[in-house]
Amino acid sequence: MIDIQSQKDEREIPLEKVGIKGLKYPLTVLDKEHKTQNTTVEADLYVNLPVHFKGTHMSRFIEVFHKHHQKLSMPHFLEMLEEIRVSLQAAKAFAKLTFPYFLEKPAPVSGQKAVMSYICTYEGSVEKNGSDIKKTFMVSVEVPVQTVCPCSKAISSRGAHNQRGRVKVTVQCGPFFWIEDLIDKVEKAASIGLYSLLKREDEKYVTEKAYDNPKFVEDIVRDVYLGIKELGDFPFFSVEAENYESIHNHNAFAYTEFKKQE
Amino acid sequence: MIDIQSQKDEREIPLEKVGIKGLKYPLTVLDKEHKTQNTTVEADLYVNLPVHFKGTHMSRFIEVFHKHHQKLSMPHFLEMLEEIRVSLQAAKAFAKLTFPYFLEKPAPVSGQKAVMSYICTYEGSVEKNGSDIKKTFMVSVEVPVQTVCPCSKAISSRGAHNQRGRVKVTVQCGPFFWIEDLIDKVEKAASIGLYSLLKREDEKYVTEKAYDNPKFVEDIVRDVYLGIKELGDFPFFSVEAENYESIHNHNAFAYTEFKKQE
Amino acid sequence: MIDIQSQKDEREIPLEKVGIKGLKYPLTVLDKEHKTQNTTVEADLYVNLPVHFKGTHMSRFIEVFHKHHQKLSMPHFLEMLEEIRVSLQAAKAFAKLTFPYFLEKPAPVSGQKAVMSYICTYEGSVEKNGSDIKKTFMVSVEVPVQTVCPCSKAISSRGAHNQRGRVKVTVQCGPFFWIEDLIDKVEKAASIGLYSLLKREDEKYVTEKAYDNPKFVEDIVRDVYLGIKELGDFPFFSVEAENYESIHNHNAFAYTEFKKQE
Amino acid sequence: MIDIQSQKDEREIPLEKVGIKGLKYPLTVLDKEHKTQNTTVEADLYVNLPVHFKGTHMSRFIEVFHKHHQKLSMPHFLEMLEEIRVSLQAAKAFAKLTFPYFLEKPAPVSGQKAVMSYICTYEGSVEKNGSDIKKTFMVSVEVPVQTVCPCSKAISSRGAHNQRGRVKVTVQCGPFFWIEDLIDKVEKAASIGLYSLLKREDEKYVTEKAYDNPKFVEDIVRDVYLGIKELGDFPFFSVEAENYESIHNHNAFAYTEFKKQE
């Protein structure tokens, strides 16, 4: 059968990324507490396409991903990327995996346990240059939090508006860390972290603790920044915070990033 | 050219709804303050399909909707539906239009104005039975609000968790009303309504007023219910409230409905 | 500590549904091939609220759900609902669980295997009336398919527009069935089912087979209807089909339902 | 009243972006055919925050945006950005506006007219450096298209799988152009553009024309690249294409970009 994709292309335009997007699959990742965790993933898998090829062979992405989806630790992720690169005969390969990561979390006073869900991504690339292979790997986690507004608290004679927010941290891998460590740094930087299950004594505790600890999105981004610095010497990281403001129908947002000087 | 859709079908299965979904269009609706308002809509348009036809003629939905999109008052909506029904040679026609509806709203103390956005739907049907035509028309509006938790306030020595929520009211048309009236009833039933623009004096006001007026989702649904009863003698209405809880990563929800005895 | 939720309410308005919405959790369900399957779920859990109570106790939903999420077969689902009803001291309890369900599916010619994902829901209620308990349980599955347009094929001298569509079947439980059976009926009623992995020989096969088997959304709904009838004597079922038309930026849609006469 | 936001911050961390996200508003933009066009927008508005300030004054974003939303041509967009920068006393200001842009489009044979919707974004920044002000402005448009698969056509004895896709072009402003020109270049590069309204003679035309003109996502990205080159000497542009594959439940994707050497 004719192989249209392998035909010569005359347009002289290299493509940065060609591949598949939005593949939904079961996934098994590593977990600090239970060794492995079963979850579900949405995967985007790409390679670059040299100037002289008309197209890429999309089925090979699935063949490689299918082999790896039941053991996707961070080291396996980079091995899978290299296997995709070789299988597609490309110089570069990219992948982005987005999955909920679950942790059992006890309520702060009653100690009752329930599961919290955090959206994680693994995003990376491998690039071959002669005999050299350059790898990058970014891990991000999105942590839902509560924020109490410092301005509202300071100017009001009683109460303070507060709301659910989300904080997303992305770190470029270098020093060893657990996803659990990133979540911990974010929850400590918020007015308070969230819980799936709170009994009345817990609700009293989180209400008072959050009220005593008001934070703007700006504060959270800065405090998470300091927390990540404590965690390790990452070559790059970024922090964004978005508040679903309870007084507005739009959100408050703050973002910053760190890049190590080389 | 052959007309496949009009061919006879032998499967003996009538279809409740056949048509188009997710059509995006500009839309002009009526507005209490400025007479008309320009917005954008997502439209679903259907008819029923009798047992003996293989298919419907989808292009006719667009032909009729295109004629009407620049003047879609509530009475025009029903005229459009009847025109769809006749054009598609059907016994029933259905439509659902979803659009943001905008209101300029002054801040409560400073009086500074900015625009708020509310998601509205017009949903209706016409059905011909002999010489009789039965029409139904439901209008709904989704109003973002703030809710302060009564339990959190009562058990905590300071503060109270609060959050953004959304309240959706649906009324079956009968007595005359404005969308603005529905919004007003919801905002009065919440701890406080939302604003796009609040200066510091406004933020103090809304914080304190909301704190003095704590409401569960259950309370809001009941108080909106009473508000709609005051507004008019509607044959049917429903109210739902959903809180984006600031202490949880899931939402609190309440729903009820009223149906007039015939 | 004061129990605000249990206070007497004077507004005389019963609520149909009160509870939690959008809880994200890991989930284990039954699987025809491997006995159990690990996936992730979004859960909505409600009870009714009698006229005289101010609020419900939201944490109890989580307590019950947490106990059951690692073994949610269809019979367990109803047991969990009854346990929620009793725990919340309510007359009715409702739940809706939405989760991706995964099946390994071989390509039609090469036989190469990869995983397909289907969105399933379990939706049910229990209601106590004196010593009588009434239960309902609906299972739905959304199956992505290909549809080739019969009209386009008939009027064009070459080619035919086709597209991805989705078909959602909902059955009220009665006779025994597997989710796999519903998927099979839908894929047989489409121009062809979808695959995650197709090699060139498979792509030739599915292209030709689909072209030989053109279907409107109307046809698919009717053919799935007949398929479900063959599968068992369900008291109620509904079928909807939505095509992401490749010639339009809106979708084609058809819906019908069956209700057994009592 | 105390101004918490203006207090001195000791953490020594500058923030790249602080502001508001997801503001929904009515919007009036320029239109080649009718001079102006009414639509609706979702706006994100940010400034940078120097190291020594605790927070920004969020209400000022709304004050400035409210003044400009009824006349947002591309030149006005940059004026608004500069006004935000000055009002917030910042060195940089950023904005991203996302809105549907509507065009009346005649069917290719019958000439019948209906409205098509395209998602546009205006994204830009202004940055003051001494007496120098640096401005960037990116315009993007997302165009839905049809793509017929060249491989499927070549290997199959009849038919060819095709599907709806979306192509997003982003250009950095420099040479004058209309959004209409970008849309035209994309629709010419696809197997065929989409229409809201097609009569039978039109459907025959688009089916045959698309079948005669098969394109991979890779082909479309390359052909749009060549089209944008013809349109003007842009300092930067990017093109991405995503196909909602009718044989898979995941999408095919391709991306490339051009950056002028300085």
Side-chain angles (χ1 to χ4, degrees), chain A residues 134-179:
Chain A
K134 194 181 143 196
K135 298 175 182 182
T136 61
F137 188 11
M138 300 281 196
V139 172
S140 76
V141 60
E142 205 172 292
V143 183
V145 297
Q146 187 186 147
T147 60
V148 173
C149 177
C151 170
S152 169
K153 181 180 173 185
I155 64 179
S156 303
S157 66
R158 55 203 179 275
H161 81 79
N162 51 72
Q163 50 268 319
R164 197 193 293 166
R166 59 167 196 90
V167 179
K168 185 177 179 183
V169 191
T170 304
V171 299
Q172 184 176 342
C173 294
F176 179 83
F177 68 98
W178 287 97
I179 289 172

Side-chain angles (χ1 to χ4, degrees), chain A residues 146 152 155-158 160-162 164 194-196 203-204 207-208 212 245-248 250-251, chain B residues 146 152 155-158 160-162 164 194-196 203-204 207-208 212 245-248 250-251:
Chain A
Q146 187 186 147
S152 169
I155 64 179
S156 303
S157 66
R158 55 203 179 275
H161 81 79
N162 51 72
R164 197 193 293 166
L194 302 192
Y195 297 84
S196 289
E203 187 169 352
K204 175 179 167 60
T207 302
E208 294 172 357
D212 293 343
E245 297 284 294
S246 68
I247 58 172
H248 297 305
H250 56 261
N251 303 335
Chain B
Q146 188 186 147
S152 170
I155 63 180
S156 304
S157 67
R158 54 203 180 276
H161 81 80
N162 52 72
R164 197 192 293 165
L194 302 193
Y195 297 84
S196 289
E203 187 169 352
K204 175 180 167 60
T207 301
E208 294 172 356
D212 294 343
E245 298 284 292
S246 67
I247 57 171
H248 298 305
H250 56 261
N251 303 335

Side-chain angles (χ1 to χ4, degrees), chain B residues 215-255:
Chain B
K215 296 277 187 117
F216 288 130
V217 280
E218 293 94 325
D219 291 315
I220 293 180
V221 166
R222 281 166 166 160
D223 289 345
V224 172
Y225 185 107
L226 295 174
I228 302 300
K229 279 294 206 184
E230 281 167 25
L231 199 61
D233 187 26
F234 295 97
F236 170 89
F237 64 84
S238 65
V239 189
E240 71 178 49
E242 183 170 3
N243 264 2
Y244 308 117
E245 298 284 292
S246 67
I247 57 171
H248 298 305
N249 200 28
H250 56 261
N251 303 335
F253 181 84
Y255 172 84

Side-chain angles (χ1 to χ4, degrees), chain C residues 26-232:
Chain C
L27 183 76
T28 304
V29 293
L30 288 195
D31 174 321
K32 194 175 182 180
E33 192 78 20
H34 307 93
K35 287 200 178 159
T36 62
Q37 166 169 152
N38 297 306
T39 183
T40 60
V41 71
E42 187 161 326
D44 304 335
L45 307 167
Y46 312 121
V47 292
N48 75 315
L49 187 71
V51 80
H52 49 278
F53 283 127
K54 183 171 169 67
T56 199
H57 292 85
M58 302 275 184
S59 63
R60 296 183 194 168
F61 291 103
I62 312 281
E63 288 173 321
V64 178
F65 186 71
H66 186 69
K67 277 178 54 186
H68 289 269
H69 75 282
Q70 285 173 324
K71 47 167 203 292
L72 244 135
S73 66
M74 296 189 201
H76 275 116
F77 176 80
L78 288 170
E79 287 170 30
M80 179 192 73
L81 261 180
E82 175 61 9
E83 207 172 316
I84 286 176
R85 193 191 65 72
V86 170
S87 169
L88 276 292
Q89 300 174 284
K92 295 190 212 176
F94 310 84
K96 182 176 180 183
L97 308 183
T98 305
F99 54 93
Y101 186 77
F102 298 104
L103 288 182
E104 215 176 37
K105 191 179 174 184
V109 179
S110 70
Q112 277 203 48
K113 285 184 177 177
V115 175
M116 278 289 294
S117 163
Y118 304 89
I119 300 167
C120 286
T121 62
Y122 287 176
E123 187 162 11
S125 64
V126 297
E127 177 172 4
K128 189 178 163 68
N129 227 321
S131 64
D132 194 45
I133 298 219
K134 193 180 143 198
K135 298 175 182 183
T136 62
F137 188 12
M138 300 280 196
V139 172
S140 76
V141 61
E142 204 173 292
V143 182
V145 298
Q146 187 186 146
T147 60
V148 173
C149 178
C151 170
S152 169
K153 182 181 173 185
I155 63 180
S156 303
S157 66
R158 54 202 181 277
H161 81 79
N162 51 72
Q163 51 268 319
R164 196 192 293 166
R166 57 167 198 91
V167 179
K168 186 177 178 182
V169 191
T170 303
V171 300
Q172 184 176 344
C173 294
F176 179 83
F177 68 98
W178 287 98
I179 289 172
E180 286 80 350
D181 301 328
L182 300 181
I183 293 170
D184 185 57
K185 290 298 182 189
V186 173
E187 294 189 340
K188 290 212 169 98
S191 290
I192 196 149
L194 303 193
Y195 296 85
S196 289
L197 174 55
L198 294 171
K199 302 306 288 182
R200 221 147 26 204
E201 59 270 35
D202 302 309
E203 187 169 352
K204 176 179 166 60
Y205 174 87
V206 299
T207 301
E208 294 171 358
K209 181 147 189 238
Y211 185 76
D212 293 342
N213 191 26
K215 297 277 188 118
F216 287 129
V217 279
E218 293 94 327
D219 291 315
I220 293 180
V221 166
R222 281 166 166 159
D223 289 345
V224 173
Y225 185 107
L226 295 173
I228 302 300
K229 278 293 204 185
E230 281 168 26
L231 199 60

